[in-house]
Amino acid sequence: MDKFFKLSEKNTNVKTEILAGITTFLAMAYILGVNPSILHDAGMDINAVFLATAVASGITSLIMGLLANYPVALSAGMGVNALFAYTICGAMGYSWQAALAAVLISGLIFLVISVTGIRKKIIDAIPMQLKFAIGAGIGFFVAFVGLKNAGIIVANESTYVTLGNFTDPTVLLALFGIIITIGLVAKKVPAGVFVGMVITAIVGIILGALGFKGMPSLPDHAFTSTFEMSTFGACFGGFGELFKSPLSAFVIIFSFLFVDFFDTAGTLISVGNQIGIVKPDGELIGVEKALFTDAFGTCLGAVLGTSTITSFVESTSGVGVGGRSGLTACTTGILFLLSIFISPIILSAVTNAVTAPALVVVGIMMAGQLGGIDWDNIIFTCAGFITIIFMILSYSISNGIAMGFIAYTVAMCACGKAKEIHPTVWVLLVIFVIYFATPNFM
């Protein structure tokens, strides 16, 4: 195992990798409840989507670990599932079968551009300074996600966001978990992020037993399974409906491509920066296999019956615990497959209050990548700031990357350095403009 995953070379061990994989899974486990709920609004069977999500996540995470040796797990992407359910199936009126057909096509296109190296060339063309900004921005983003999910930050009509109700027991539990986890990490306790999650869960279960509402709990029964497969292969029956309007079909497929491409690119860049697989010229070592796995996952998910499968930014929580190899992803993948039988435990014991501390503390760790940005250079200052602020406030990794590219191009031109801009960046600029010109898909 040490030889296969190159554990010694990566300065890690089996115990650390397994803990990292468990941490990543716990940080991602919410998707098993959220994704079926969202796609149910598109008319899909909840049990079938749960099974499709668990199986697709498990298989693709295992492939990522075994093939690419990356500590990155995959599952149905948040945001793109909302695009699937509420825009394509909702506002546009397409059936979920047609939407799955579009997901499959986007995955096949990704397979082609991954195998041919086009996808890698685009990622390599991103300036190193922007890669640091993307990594740091994702850190702020995942921290914001954790704070929002736990109710520490809530919506406000006047200021858009504000502090939540600090008398709410679940909010207090999340705050307790954040404080404990920060203390553990500051003290350099091994696997401090994971230990913080466990302590938070145990305290929550005890409080729940004492009568506090909304707390993590132990289920009445631990094992269950529902092998509902009504969505399997349904994508193949949606092609006719999808292409009744070729223009609409193009817009839908392009939107799936755009969001998945740049969410994945951002996640891989962020993880790559943390585990030291980014060369000085900005090239990610071994990224081709990771991109192939991501594309394959999208195709597999579409056939099984779920929206786009993509590399999950929550993988950074496992990296924060010390995960450095594919064994982390394999551990997460196995847990996803086991979740088919232990879903009651996952859905009752792993709440937002439990995962929030991990996301916030991992965000703190990732923010250290800000140090790699040359803040004395106005070009990178503008591009970095715009990338980060838009990633957080638009609640989208891909939007942040797009706006950062635009800011970078404008600043380079303003400084008389237009000739130094990589040709790929100019192509991406056109794509970003087209994307923002279709506001219903942002």
Side-chain angles (χ1 to χ4, degrees), residues 128-153:
M128 192 62 199
Q129 296 278 329
L130 263 183
K131 286 180 177 175
F132 284 129
I134 291 168
I138 289 177
F140 286 106
F141 177 76
V142 297
F144 181 61
V145 170
L147 293 171
K148 180 192 76 70
N149 289 347
I152 297 172
I153 297 295

Side-chain angles (χ1 to χ4, degrees), residues 326-396:
L327 182 54
T328 293
C330 287
T331 302
T332 304
I334 291 171
L335 290 173
F336 264 118
L337 294 176
L338 290 176
S339 69
I340 298 171
F341 305 99
I342 59 173
S343 57
I345 294 178
I346 298 167
L347 298 178
S348 61
V350 184
T351 65
N352 287 332
V354 173
T355 59
L359 296 178
V360 171
V361 174
V362 166
I364 293 171
M365 295 175 179
M366 295 175 65
Q369 296 179 49
L370 289 171
I373 300 174
D374 183 3
W375 294 105
D376 293 325
N377 186 320
I378 189 61
I379 294 173
F380 298 124
T381 298
C382 290
F385 178 82
I386 292 296
T387 297
I388 294 168
I389 198 71
F390 273 89
M391 196 175 291
I392 301 168
L393 297 184
S394 71
Y395 208 73
S396 168

